[in-house]
């Protein structure tokens, strides 16, 4: 198949250092409070990810970590930002609920005029993924299905609801990643979705890259693409190879400490999509 050349576009991300990272509770199957966490190593690994983004020409904003909120490093869960509009989060578990206010305060302090405090439970980009045509929205473990209607109304983009069925893939971003928004190109792990949702994904994204069990289990779908470089957990070697074949440049990242919280590259990265979204080829 002939494919257009891949092209990176500069991005703006919001990240939060794991200064207070811990695994003291378990709200997903990856979290085992009995396993020790090495905070200095977590900080180093997180710093390497931030430095990668910077070296690729992206901008990284930093959210001040709050003591007592050990999962705050997973900044992707704090909001969804599309066309410069911010839909805040409302967390499913009380252990994370205070993160929502910290995010809202950051956006309000940084000149975002349209900031919505949500009515329904949604964990930001954990369950929302953006392509030019759609807002893909996971449900089943965290986001309320009602948050899908709320997001569609707020962003004015069509929402496609997707049912997650495997507790290991409790957020959409553990099972699906957008590779090229403008071209509506994604990668995903079918086993994480209900039969009906798998069919929807096949219909909408017939050319998607389909991940293996092993790559999904390495949290390989928890990836961030700038249109050319795809940063993903380094253990997802099959996925890296498949990305290379498609003309992407996979960049393996070691976030082993944060994996103990059930997150990796994408979970640590909230994308701040500007007005108009700035993607070449985006349909008006
Ligand atoms: N321990 C966190 C939780 O269970 C991990 C969140 C990971 N973030 C993500 N975007 N998948 O909520």
């Amino acid at each position: 198949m002939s494919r257009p050349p891949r092209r990176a576009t500069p991005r703006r991300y919001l990240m939060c250092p794991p200064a207070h990272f811990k695994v003291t509770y378990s709200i997903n199957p990856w979290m085992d409070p009995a396993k020790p966490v090495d905070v200095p190593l977590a900080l180093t690994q997180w710093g390497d990810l931030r430095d990668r983004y910077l070296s690729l020409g992206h901008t990284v904003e930093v959210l001040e970590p709050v003591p007592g909120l050990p999962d705050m490093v997973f900044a992707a869960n704090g909001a969804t930002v599309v066309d410069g509009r911010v839909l805040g989060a409302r967390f499913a578990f009380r252990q994370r609920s205070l993160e929502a206010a910290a995010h809202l305060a950051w956006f309000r302090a940084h000149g975002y005029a349209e900031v919505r405090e949500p009515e329904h439970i949604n964990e930001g980009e954990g369950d929302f993924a953006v392509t030019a045509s759609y807002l893909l929205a996971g449900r089943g473990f965290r986001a309320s299905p009602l948050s899908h209607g709320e997001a569609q109304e707020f962003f004015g983009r069509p929402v496609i609801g997707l049912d997650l069925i495997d507790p290991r893939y409790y957020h959409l971003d553990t099972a699906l990643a957008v590779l090229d928004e403008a071209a509506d190109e994604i990668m995903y792990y079918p086993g994480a979705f209900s039969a009906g949702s798998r069919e929807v994904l096949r219909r909408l994204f017939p050319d998607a890259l389909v991940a293996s069990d092993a790559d999904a289990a390495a949290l390989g779908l928890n990836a961030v693409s700038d249109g050319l470089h795809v940063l993903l957990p380094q253990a997802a070697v099959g996925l890296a190879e498949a990305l290379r074949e498609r003309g992407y440049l996979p960049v393996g990242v070691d976030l082993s400490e944060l994996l103990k919280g059930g997150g990796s590259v994408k979970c640590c990265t909230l994308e701040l999509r500007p007005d108009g979204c700035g993607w070449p080829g985006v349909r008006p």
Side-chain angles (χ1 to χ4, degrees):
M1 197 192 305
S2 78
R3 295 181 192 280
R6 303 295 176 193
R7 212 164 69 95
T9 53
R11 311 290 171 131
R12 241 180 117 211
Y13 299 125
L14 179 64
M15 297 179 70
C16 179
H20 309 294
F21 179 59
K22 280 189 196 130
V23 180
T24 49
Y25 51 81
S26 179
I27 55 173
N28 71 56
W30 304 79
M31 300 174 83
D32 178 359
K35 269 197 207 151
V37 166
D38 182 337
V39 173
L41 180 57
L43 281 163
T44 303
Q45 293 177 337
W46 179 90
D48 289 346
L49 176 62
R50 182 204 48 207
D51 292 350
R52 276 289 188 176
Y53 288 135
L54 296 175
S55 73
L56 294 171
H58 304 307
T59 304
V60 177
E61 306 283 354
V62 175
L63 176 66
E64 191 65 35
V66 176
L69 295 177
D71 271 333
M72 203 168 161
V73 59
F74 301 118
N77 299 135
T80 306
V81 186
V82 185
D83 298 322
R85 302 166 64 95
V86 182
L87 177 63
R90 184 178 289 269
F91 286 83
F93 291 102
R94 62 169 172 77
Q95 291 95 332
R96 298 196 66 187
S97 59
L98 294 177
E99 293 178 40
H103 277 259
L104 287 176
W106 189 90
F107 284 103
R108 290 192 174 120
H110 286 78
Y112 285 81
E114 286 188 78
V115 179
R116 180 182 167 93
E117 199 175 337
E119 205 173 310
H120 301 291
I121 290 173
N122 87 73
E123 298 194 345
E125 289 194 317
D127 277 317
F128 288 124
V130 185
T131 75
S133 302
Y134 313 107
L135 191 57
L136 303 175
R139 60 188 173 216
F141 296 101
R142 301 288 177 92
S144 156
L146 294 172
S147 72
H148 295 183
E150 185 174 10
Q152 176 165 284
E153 196 56 35
F154 183 66
F155 292 120
R157 290 181 176 233
V159 166
I160 305 292
L162 298 166
D163 291 296
L164 296 164
I165 57 162
D166 181 333
R168 288 176 302 166
Y169 308 111
Y170 55 94
H171 271 146
L172 182 67
D173 73 358
T174 61
L176 180 150
V178 176
L179 295 172
D180 181 337
E181 299 88 353
D184 281 325
E185 188 172 354
I186 65 166
M187 59 179 179
Y188 69 99
Y189 173 57
F193 297 92
S194 68
S197 294
R198 283 201 295 273
E199 186 56 29
V200 167
L201 288 168
R202 260 198 305 271
R203 280 173 194 274
L204 295 180
F205 304 103
D207 296 327
L209 198 175
V210 170
S212 68
D213 295 357
D215 287 322
L219 221 52
L221 279 316
N222 199 246
V224 171
S225 172
D226 65 12
L228 172 63
H229 311 95
V230 182
L231 282 71
L232 79 171
Q234 65 178 15
V237 286
L239 212 44
E241 188 48 41
L243 286 164
R244 217 170 277 120
E245 279 165 19
R246 284 183 175 234
Y248 291 101
L249 297 176
V251 179
V253 180
D254 181 8
L255 287 174
S256 60
E257 285 312 296
L258 298 174
L259 199 58
K260 295 175 183 170
S264 190
V265 177
K266 172 61 209 168
C267 299
C268 294
T269 314
L270 175 60
E271 184 162 355
L272 307 174
R273 298 179 187 80
D275 196 15
C277 286
W279 302 317
V282 166
R283 292 183 276 282

